[in-house]
Amino acid sequence: MTSTVPAIVILGQGSLATARRIQQRYPEALIHGLAGRVEGSDRPYTEFGATLRELYQQDTPIIALCAAGIVIRSLAPLLLEKGAEPPVLVVAEDGSAVVPLLGGLGGVNVMAREIAAALQVAPAITTSGELRFGTCLLNPPSGYRLGDLEQGKRFVSDLLAGEPVRIEGAAPWLDQAQLPQDAQARLAIRIDSAAGVPAANELRIYPRSVVVAVSAGATDVLASIEQALAQAGLAMQSVACLLTADSDMVRSELQQAASVLGVPLRFVTANGSVAQWLGDAIGHRASPRVSGDVAIAVAAQPLDPQRIGRPRGRLAVIGLGPGAAELMVPAVRAELDRATDVLGYETYVRMAGPFRADQIQHCTDNREEMQRARHAFELAAQGRSVVVVSSGDPGVFAMAAAVLEALHDSSDPAWHQVDLEILPGVSASLATAAQAGAPLGHDFCVMSLSDNLKPWSIIEKRLDLAAEADLALAFYNPISRSRPWQLGRALEIVAQHRTPGTPVVLGRDIGRPGQTLRVTTLGQLTPDQVDMRTMVLVGSSTTCVFPRAKGGDWVYTPRWYGDKPL
Ligand code: SAH
């Protein structure tokens, strides 16, 4: 996912003022500050190198306020890989220097000029073409696509060697450039959407002004598109988007065709002929050309695909992990960044933030799970990118099952076409176990002690059988104000099968501010030591405890059972 909103990364409190000045230029950018060193950043991080690499791999432009060397060393391992190359800039802590480092074709010099203007200094531009012409010819603005990068580099070398150039076609962004123009020049920058092999002395730039529509149920999609474009004499590079009927939303053939063309797939509710709905989508003056299942329209100007039809909606059910940012999986972080709408219990939505101004937060009460799940589908079916937030793992006593149940109950095809994905998180039992050692190192049983959604008799039966089977036990939702006696009863049942010396781990607010971890025994455990923010882990007959050097205890359940292997 390309995100054009940059991340501002700082290492110390001294950089915050400069970071805020840069943020005024990019109001949606968040300031990432090193936890423990920076107070008042938008998003604390714990490891500089890992944070930088993650942003880079997500194609997020990076503005780092620190020494260039630190950034170079942190990103070095990624530079040999082919992949995203977002703009990367370093800015001196006091705002006195702005140095573009990477992402020449991603607009780093444009950003360097913007930031330098905001800080009232001169940017340290080192790219020859950029210095000479005031623009990067190989990085046309959005709405245009460069034909061939390697050929483009040779072309710019020739220009730098002093040759004049002529411009054929409309390139309004080059009006400001200082190009040595001459109508008789051998070299030409050519801007149009015609097909054909570029001549050696031409730099081809294609306006993305062509929409290709494919009728519902069409087969051999890519070949038909290529043929239709060839017949119309149009270059593949000029295609702005592929438009198709929403009834074809989940067809992988269309997704493949769009990815080969490198364009987004957009959808319409198809009425009438393919030419008609193409006209509806981009205006009737476009007079589409139809060939078989494919219709093509050429607009006078480059098109913004975001304004044509609508995208396939996405719904991701994500787990935040226990709370600490470094225990959240990177895929979840990326999903939160791309979301248009975030749904969930207010506490968790706040934990997932901060969000940009364009991201809508829908906070609801914790109990309204099915309603929230249906709301999520309604939004996603409109083409929005929706995230439903759970703590820990979404599949463990949380939203994933509710979302799937809502989908299973629904006969609305639009809901079933949503691009649905469940992204895992570190569940509270696992986060608590890791802090204590490995109390769940052998077979274990996970239970919610809440009888809100299941009869208490079932809970008693399962407890009895799990305790008898000598499984280690992990209790979620152990107690609450409306369920005051259940934990005491549960412990009585467990005590019928376990000795009073059985180790018990209590993890409260693990991974969150003020977390506590206690190791006690079944005999000493009383319900008043536990609340609804606590995870209760009860050992099996083999669970061991021994002191750790720094104080406290290690708890583990060995991998073996029966006789200790030699
Ligand atoms: N989906 C969540 C669990 C939701 S049920 C997960 O996978 O972790 C809510 C219960 O989880 C709480 O009552 C508590 O028992 C436990 N819990 C959730 N977060 C916790 C944390 N940070 N520390 C300790 N227990 C937690």
Side-chain angles (χ1 to χ4, degrees), residues 44-80:
Y45 66 85
T46 46
E47 230 259 280
F48 180 77
T51 303
L52 228 55
R53 286 188 289 275
E54 194 181 316
L55 289 166
Y56 186 89
Q57 283 170 320
Q58 288 172 8
D59 213 3
T60 305
I62 298 170
I63 304 166
L65 276 71
C66 62
I70 308 175
V71 175
I72 292 168
R73 247 187 293 280
S74 299
L75 293 178
L78 304 181
L79 298 182
L80 287 177

Side-chain angles (χ1 to χ4, degrees), residues 234-251:
L234 292 168
M236 290 239 280
Q237 292 93 326
S238 302
V239 178
C241 69
L242 213 56
L243 193 64
T244 184
D246 53 10
S247 55
D248 270 356
M249 216 173 242
V250 296
R251 281 187 58 201

Side-chain angles (χ1 to χ4, degrees), residues 322 391-393 396-398 427-428 476-478 507 509-510 512 532-535:
S391 80
D393 182 90
V396 178
F397 310 121
S427 193
Y476 288 77
N477 300 312
D509 281 340
I510 293 299
R512 299 178 191 172
M532 64 182 293
R533 284 147 66 180
T534 309
M535 186 72 227

Side-chain angles (χ1 to χ4, degrees), residues 439-490:
L440 307 179
H442 194 78
D443 299 345
F444 66 98
C445 167
V446 169
M447 283 184 67
S448 165
L449 294 192
S450 166
D451 56 352
N452 289 339
L453 298 168
K454 61 187 166 188
W456 178 252
S457 59
I458 280 287
I459 299 178
E460 288 207 355
K461 181 173 177 189
R462 289 179 180 173
L463 276 168
D464 188 42
L465 293 171
E468 185 188 346
D470 201 19
L471 297 164
L473 306 167
F475 296 152
Y476 288 77
N477 300 312
I479 199 165
S480 77
R481 230 171 285 144
S482 60
R483 296 181 286 108
W485 56 265
Q486 283 87 335
L487 178 62
R489 177 73 194 117

Side-chain angles (χ1 to χ4, degrees), residues 3-18:
S3 133
T4 46
V5 178
I8 305 168
V9 186
I10 64 175
L11 276 164
Q13 198 67 30
S15 309
L16 191 59
T18 305

